[in-house]
Amino acid sequence: MTNSDSATKTALEMLGPLGQRWAHVQGVAQRAAVLTLDLSNQERDLVVTAAWLHDIGYAPQLARSRFHPLDGARYVHAVGFPLVVVGLVAYHSGAVIEAHERGLGSELAAFVAPPDLLLRRLTASDMTTSPTGYPVQASERVEEILRRYPPQDPVHQAIRLSGSSLIDIANAEDARARIGQVHQVATDHYW
């Protein structure tokens, strides 16, 4: 069983009952599979695994700090997923900014930051997937998050601070993926 197979099973068990959250996670995993086509099989499996687990900290039985990247990373580490996956769960989608907003920066810093390339792919996957699991533009996703959380909420504050960089990451990774897909189709067709 691959890491991503195990992560899928874990996510279904813990997030399946949460309905819309489960739909979002499925969409993020599908998007991650597309955005990682140019990576090695090992790197791709790490990102897709993290995509399945990135919101695991929302599971009621894991929510301790009320900061899902931290709660999720603690769980993913405890059950033995690779350290890169732990770091991806901990640091996805601008989590450093939100950790500081919540006063949890030192707790998050206990986890090793993952390779930037892999973090960008996971962040782009998350930021281009709606809460219901459908593809969206990153700018729409940022706007949706800002509407969903009141201005005083740490999520709102963090997205207000990091939203433009999250949009830039998502747009750059999406463009890179489209270029790679066009190149692959052209190469396959030519040869």
Side-chain angles (χ1 to χ4, degrees):
M1 179 180 294
T2 65
N3 286 317
S4 60
D5 291 337
S6 180
T8 305
K9 182 177 183 252
T10 300
L12 175 59
E13 289 171 4
M14 298 183 121
L15 298 175
L18 302 183
Q20 186 169 295
R21 180 69 55 194
W22 172 237
H24 169 71
V25 166
Q26 290 176 85
V28 173
Q30 290 172 352
R31 185 74 179 129
V34 171
L35 289 180
T36 57
L37 287 171
D38 64 321
L39 300 180
S40 70
N41 288 339
Q42 180 184 8
E43 291 170 320
R44 188 171 194 229
D45 185 59
L46 291 168
V47 175
V48 173
T49 298
W52 283 110
L53 298 170
H54 81 284
D55 278 353
I56 200 80
Y58 282 116
Q61 62 269 44
L62 302 181
R64 301 286 181 265
S65 70
R66 300 190 64 220
F67 179 44
H68 80 277
L70 180 60
D71 293 333
R74 287 174 173 160
Y75 172 77
V76 169
H77 182 262
V79 297
F81 280 96
L83 290 179
V84 171
V85 172
V86 174
L88 287 165
V89 170
Y91 288 93
H92 77 276
S93 302
V96 170
I97 304 295
E98 187 178 339
H100 289 291
E101 290 294 319
R102 292 180 177 276
L104 296 171
S106 61
E107 286 88 344
L108 187 66
F111 295 100
V112 176
D116 188 60
L117 172 66
L118 304 184
L119 183 58
R120 289 176 62 88
R121 303 296 172 89
L122 177 59
T123 295
S125 300
D126 186 25
M127 296 309 297
T128 57
T129 304
S130 75
T132 55
Y134 291 98
V136 294
Q137 295 296 316
S139 58
E140 294 172 37
R141 178 87 159 108
V142 166
E143 290 170 14
E144 178 274 320
I145 294 168
L146 290 172
R147 282 191 309 273
R148 188 168 18 127
Y149 292 92
Q152 68 278 12
D153 190 283
V155 174
H156 184 103
Q157 294 170 10
I159 292 296
R160 184 181 48 78
L161 294 170
S162 64
S164 63
S165 66
L166 295 173
I167 291 168
D168 290 346
I169 289 168
N171 289 343
E173 294 303 321
D174 188 56
R176 184 212 38 77
R178 281 195 313 271
I179 290 168
Q181 291 166 358
V182 168
H183 175 74
Q184 185 64 45
V185 168
T187 303
D188 290 347
H189 181 70
Y190 182 76
W191 298 109

